[in-house]
Amino acid sequence: MGILVDGVWQEDNLIKNKEDGKFIRPDSAFRDWITTDGSPGPEGQKASPAEKGRYHLYVSLACPWAHRTLITRVLKGLEDMISVSVVHWHMGAQSWNFEDAPGVVADPVMNAQFLHQIYTLAKPGMSGKVTVPVLFDKKERTIINNESSEIIRIFNEAFDDLGALPGHYYPAPLRGEIDEINERIYHTLNNGVYKCGFATTQEAYEEAYVPLFETLDFLEEELSQSDYLVGNQLTEADIRLFPTLIRFDSVYYSHFKCNKKRIQDYPNLHRFVERFMSNQKIAATVNFHHIKHHYYGSHKQINPSGIVPHGPDVMY
């Protein structure tokens, strides 16, 4: 793993912690937008117009943040409008790379070997982290956005005039509720598993562990009354929850020490995952080989041997 410093790749520990051992997730660097006609984004962001074939998405099949963009892409029917490259599951000294392997899709923009080359193409002299997902503008040869929560909102709205599938996953009447539950799930669960797994003190680990399972208990109760989290309809909140749940039993439970209960032990959460996996397009975005080999093989500070466990048996 490593980081860009003045446009030069330097090997470094990308996992940053405070002095008290708490994991810190850095902010994303690219925050422009795509809109139907190129008018400014929802908060006045610089925007480019939606065009078929102009944009390219870089993802890892292991990464839950990238996974939510793949799910939104297939739900909106954007497969023919936005092309995709998939990095190798192993994050080594050069971080995300395009080494040939099952499931890897090479870079068509500059035939890059490493994702950090796409970052320096977009911003020569850049300093900062290199992450997935990345939404790239092939016409302007620059990165539009690398914040997953914003990319899914771009996909949700910008391409409807170009024939995207109907369906709005951030409907105006439900936005307050969606934002509220997103906030809790992000801090305590989506990012909470990383706070547990990357903690370097017992106190930091326990501080993250307790609210994580309080949120899972809360979600189990919420899903006892409806199939989805908000308005009993599929929304962005569900799309953001699923990638964490699908990785939980095979990775977070053991690798990140989130071992109080499995998702299999929550009947309603388990059914929620099965409901997603019953959609063949969504199921095709799930790759347990990439998921397990990335986490167990890349995080040498947690799993020095790099041994990837065979289990669990239930893989949906």
Side-chain angles (χ1 to χ4, degrees):
M1 291 184 287
I3 194 168
L4 282 169
V5 178
D6 297 328
V8 179
W9 186 257
Q10 295 188 8
E11 293 186 31
D12 185 25
N13 180 15
L14 187 62
I15 301 168
K16 301 299 181 183
N17 295 75
K18 297 180 181 178
E19 291 183 2
D20 60 6
K22 295 179 182 177
F23 167 63
I24 306 168
R25 183 173 296 281
D27 293 333
S28 299
F30 297 89
R31 308 296 285 271
D32 289 344
W33 215 262
I34 300 171
T35 56
T36 299
D37 57 1
S39 57
E43 296 181 4
Q45 301 97 323
K46 176 186 174 183
S48 300
E51 297 176 13
K52 183 177 180 179
R54 175 171 172 173
Y55 302 101
H56 188 75
L57 182 66
Y58 293 93
V59 300
S60 161
L61 300 181
C63 173
W65 316 104
H67 195 181
R68 57 173 65 168
T69 67
L70 285 175
I71 292 170
T72 309
R73 175 177 172 266
V74 298
L75 288 175
K76 290 293 295 186
L78 300 177
E79 297 97 319
D80 293 334
M81 299 185 199
I82 300 169
S83 52
V84 170
S85 286
V86 178
V87 297
H88 195 279
W89 58 81
H90 186 257
M91 182 185 282
Q94 296 279 325
S95 192
W96 298 118
N97 64 85
F98 296 96
E99 180 183 349
D100 187 35
V104 174
V105 179
D107 166 47
V109 175
M110 57 181 294
N111 196 30
Q113 292 180 284
F114 307 104
L115 187 63
H116 64 72
Q117 294 170 310
I118 302 300
Y119 274 72
T120 53
L121 171 65
K123 189 176 181 181
M126 176 184 167
S127 294
K129 64 174 185 171
V130 171
T131 62
V132 286
V134 171
L135 183 57
F136 190 86
D137 184 342
K138 292 185 285 187
K139 181 177 180 179
E140 299 295 333
R141 293 176 70 81
T142 192
I143 295 173
I144 294 288
N145 198 297
N146 70 333
E147 169 52 51
S148 65
S149 63
E150 296 178 354
I151 293 174
I152 65 175
R153 291 191 178 176
I154 290 170
F155 288 177
N156 185 45
E157 294 189 351
F159 296 86
D160 284 0
D161 287 354
L162 297 179
L165 290 177
H168 200 294
Y169 302 102
Y170 189 53
L174 300 177
R175 287 180 184 177
E177 293 178 68
I178 292 170
D179 290 344
E180 183 178 357
I181 201 163
N182 279 348
E183 185 77 3
R184 176 172 183 172
I185 290 171
Y186 169 74
H187 288 291
T188 61
L189 183 55
N190 296 147
N191 200 37
V193 293
Y194 289 91
K195 292 178 183 178
C196 287
F198 293 152
T200 56
T201 66
Q202 188 69 32
E203 292 76 14
Y205 164 71
E206 292 180 1
E207 185 175 323
Y209 182 93
V210 172
L212 188 157
F213 283 96
E214 287 177 345
T215 291
L216 285 175
D217 291 341
F218 162 76
L219 294 171
E220 174 70 6
E221 177 60 27
E222 289 292 300
L223 292 169
S224 70
Q225 304 171 45
S226 64
D227 291 340
Y228 300 104
L229 293 176
V230 179
N232 202 21
Q233 65 185 75
L234 179 61
T235 70
E236 173 190 289
D238 306 294
I239 294 168
R240 289 169 53 133
L241 173 62
F242 171 76
T244 300
L245 297 187
I246 196 65
R247 288 160 174 77
F248 199 94
D249 292 4
S250 59
V251 173
Y252 304 143
Y253 180 87
S254 56
H255 186 56
F256 280 176
K257 307 178 185 70
C258 302
N259 60 353
K260 182 180 180 181
K261 294 173 73 175
R262 305 165 303 169
I263 299 306
Q264 293 180 51
D265 300 321
Y266 290 98
N268 297 319
L269 285 170
H270 185 74
R271 280 193 291 271
F272 176 88
V273 174
E274 289 184 319
R275 190 174 301 114
F276 264 73
M277 291 297 286
S278 69
N279 182 314
Q280 293 184 355
K281 286 190 173 183
I282 293 176
T285 68
V286 177
N287 188 309
F288 282 111
H289 181 90
H290 279 234
I291 290 168
K292 293 173 65 176
H293 282 75
H294 165 68
Y295 283 95
Y296 290 104
S298 300
H299 299 157
K300 296 296 187 180
Q301 74 279 32
I302 299 176
N303 186 36
S305 68
I307 293 173
V308 180
H310 277 290
D313 291 337
V314 177
M315 302 293 278
Y316 302 97

